[in-house]
Amino acid sequence: MSIYFFLIAVVLLLPVAFSWIKDERHRDNCVLFFSILAIFLVMVLKAPTVGRDIEGYKSLYDMMELRTWSNFDSLSWMEWGYELLTMIFVHIFHAPFQVFITFVYAFVYFSYFKFIQRYSRDYTTSVLLYICFTFFTFDTSAIRTVLGIAICLLAVPFAEKRGIWNAVIFFAITILAAQIHKSAYIFIIVYFVIRVKFSIKSAAFYVGIPMILMVFRSQFYGLINSYLKTVQESSIALGGNLIVYIVCLLLTGFIWLYYEQNNKKFLRPGDRYGRVGDTLSTDSAAAENNLVDYFDTSGLAVRMIYMAIILQLFSTGTVLSRMAEYLQLFILILVPNNIMRLNYKSRVILRGILYFFAVIYFWRFSLADNALDIVPYQFFWEV
């Protein structure tokens, strides 16, 4: 498991290694790029024994050699889009599984890079949370799901823009992702989560729909069993991860309240409001616009996490809980952006506490428990 701690050390040391770059935006982009590159290398160099489902994916990939283009989608229960992708690599590129998985992870981490770059105000904290808080562990195994998530993340900017064609592109990308894994259909609701902000008028959407889901939970499970996937309904339970998401929402509420009470203080000319290192002009209007941008970005993450909590409660104890992963990823945006609202001393202290507990969490629930068989780590040439 030493390679995982080495990965964390690399991510934490990269800001120091690039501190010589004067242009702060360029420096931050370098830190993010090489952080993501380090994770990518750990993923693509691992053997199929690392990650519980990888050997199954490899077996399916190898069997595709015996399939023809007329019957390739009859081999397994997997979606035809994923099987078509494997057919392209097997029969057109004649690529071994390790090459295939390299291209898959290259696309996934390109999507993650663009996602964090676009929305996060603190790249290192976002990356560390990704590694330590279940996402990295999950991605070592669930190839189809993570590929679906990566495709869906590329659709988010289109939902932020007005216009029918942007909506069409968003839904087209989402439907494409669903051909890799059906769980991506849940991302259809993300369009409305992005477009509909919290307000009294939107209460019917953000309160009414969750109430309907919970009240008629059994009926919805019946529809899911009939048309999508066979799942067994279980009782609702509050897991450890779920509590973390709820606490993050509560802390966000306190920060927003603090902003409201100290509005003039935070609109002081020359203060830092943007992404890490972005110093605005002394124009108070520019500062106010950036403050609004903070609420928009954090508000999006809050809405995503709120809906993720609802989905996780709805799907407790079933394979449907993977649907929540599509929205839970926005915790990588919410937490760093909230920390950046604090003064410098508070940021340093809170980051130190967060990093310490994040690493402990990763060691306890991913490494010590060997979640999804990521320990021991082996390079692919060793097997």
Side-chain angles (χ1 to χ4, degrees):
M1 66 177 67
S2 58
I3 192 169
Y4 299 119
F5 290 114
F6 177 74
L7 175 62
I8 292 172
V10 168
V11 170
L12 293 178
L13 290 174
L14 278 172
V16 178
F18 286 104
S19 60
W20 58 272
I21 300 178
K22 294 182 179 181
D23 187 292
E24 295 186 50
R25 184 179 294 276
H26 178 57
R27 181 172 68 231
D28 291 342
N29 285 331
C30 288
V31 169
L32 178 61
F33 174 80
F34 284 100
S35 297
I36 295 295
L37 178 62
I39 298 172
F40 168 73
L41 291 175
V42 171
M43 285 292 193
V44 301
L45 296 179
K46 67 183 179 68
T49 55
V50 182
R52 185 167 300 166
D53 298 335
I54 300 300
E55 288 188 303
Y57 281 111
K58 185 179 184 302
S59 297
L60 172 69
Y61 187 85
D62 294 338
M63 286 189 288
M64 281 297 180
E65 184 71 36
L66 306 176
R67 293 283 124 177
T68 65
W69 290 99
S70 61
N71 69 347
F72 71 88
D73 59 342
S74 62
L75 182 63
S76 73
W77 71 94
M78 295 185 183
E79 289 77 3
W80 73 271
Y82 177 80
E83 292 183 333
L84 175 62
L85 185 63
T86 61
M87 285 290 290
I88 291 172
F89 274 85
V90 169
H91 290 280
I92 296 180
F93 299 129
H94 304 287
F97 178 74
Q98 204 65 37
V99 172
F100 168 73
I101 210 69
T102 298
F103 274 89
V104 168
Y105 277 126
F107 172 78
V108 166
Y109 285 106
F110 167 78
S111 178
Y112 283 173
F113 173 84
K114 299 302 291 185
F115 172 68
I116 294 174
Q117 184 187 50
R118 184 180 181 87
Y119 296 105
S120 177
R121 268 59 175 171
D122 183 351
Y123 295 161
T124 297
T125 300
S126 292
V127 173
L128 187 75
L129 286 175
Y130 168 79
I131 295 172
C132 295
F133 195 54
T134 73
F135 301 108
F136 171 82
T137 304
F138 181 79
D139 291 352
T140 61
S141 180
I143 296 299
R144 287 181 301 137
T145 305
V146 68
L147 189 53
I149 292 172
I151 294 173
C152 285
L153 288 179
L154 297 179
V156 173
F158 293 100
E160 294 180 302
K161 303 173 185 177
R162 296 180 179 180
I164 185 65
W165 285 112
N166 287 314
V168 169
I169 293 172
F170 176 91
F171 289 117
I173 293 175
T174 301
I175 292 171
L176 173 64
Q179 309 317 304
I180 302 296
H181 199 283
K182 289 180 181 178
S183 61
Y185 279 122
I186 198 64
F187 214 72
I188 290 175
I189 72 168
V190 169
Y191 180 82
F192 304 99
V193 174
I194 293 174
R195 300 302 304 172
V196 181
K197 299 181 180 180
F198 287 134
S199 68
I200 295 176
K201 293 181 179 179
S202 65
F205 177 75
Y206 285 107
V207 177
I209 290 179
M211 288 183 62
I212 292 173
L213 279 176
M214 297 306 170
V215 171
F216 298 100
R217 190 165 177 257
S218 297
Q219 288 77 3
F220 280 110
Y221 267 81
L223 292 174
I224 292 169
N225 285 326
S226 298
Y227 298 104
L228 291 176
K229 191 177 185 69
T230 302
V231 290
Q232 184 66 42
E233 183 181 359
S234 60
S235 58
I236 295 176
L238 288 176
N241 285 2
L242 194 59
I243 294 174
V244 172
Y245 292 122
I246 293 173
V247 169
C248 285
L249 288 189
L250 293 175
L251 290 177
T252 302
F254 284 121
I255 291 175
W256 284 8
L257 181 62
Y258 184 66
Y259 259 80
E260 289 295 329
Q261 294 176 346
N262 297 271
N263 188 50
K264 292 183 179 180
K265 173 184 175 181
F266 282 98
L267 291 179
R268 203 169 48 206
D271 278 352
R272 296 184 179 218
Y273 295 95
R275 188 179 49 76
V276 181
D278 289 348
T279 305
L280 300 183
S281 68
T282 56
D283 184 358
S284 62
E288 184 170 3
N289 288 337
N290 203 259
L291 183 62
V292 171
D293 176 69
Y294 160 68
F295 281 113
D296 284 345
T297 305
S298 296
L300 170 61
V302 166
R303 298 195 299 275
M304 291 294 193
I305 297 303
Y306 171 76
M307 296 304 292
I309 291 171
I310 301 302
L311 282 173
Q312 194 165 338
L313 287 172
F314 175 78
S315 58
T316 299
T318 73
V319 71
L320 294 177
S321 60
R322 288 191 175 189
M323 296 187 303
E325 190 87 4
Y326 288 79
L327 290 82
Q328 289 170 346
L329 200 67
F330 280 80
I331 201 76
L332 307 184
I333 307 305
L334 182 63
V335 172
N337 289 6
N338 281 341
I339 291 177
M340 286 304 298
R341 295 309 94 202
L342 306 175
N343 60 51
Y344 178 77
K345 182 178 179 180
S346 298
R347 289 202 303 267
V348 171
I349 294 174
L350 191 55
R351 279 201 199 102
I353 296 173
L354 176 64
Y355 291 1
F356 174 78
F357 282 104
V359 173
I360 295 298
Y361 186 96
F362 180 59
W363 171 79
R364 173 63 181 84
F365 294 104
S366 291
L367 301 181
D369 286 353
N370 196 15
L372 298 179
D373 301 333
I374 67 170
V375 178
Y377 183 91
Q378 293 178 293
F379 293 103
F380 71 87
W381 59 80
E382 294 177 331
V383 177

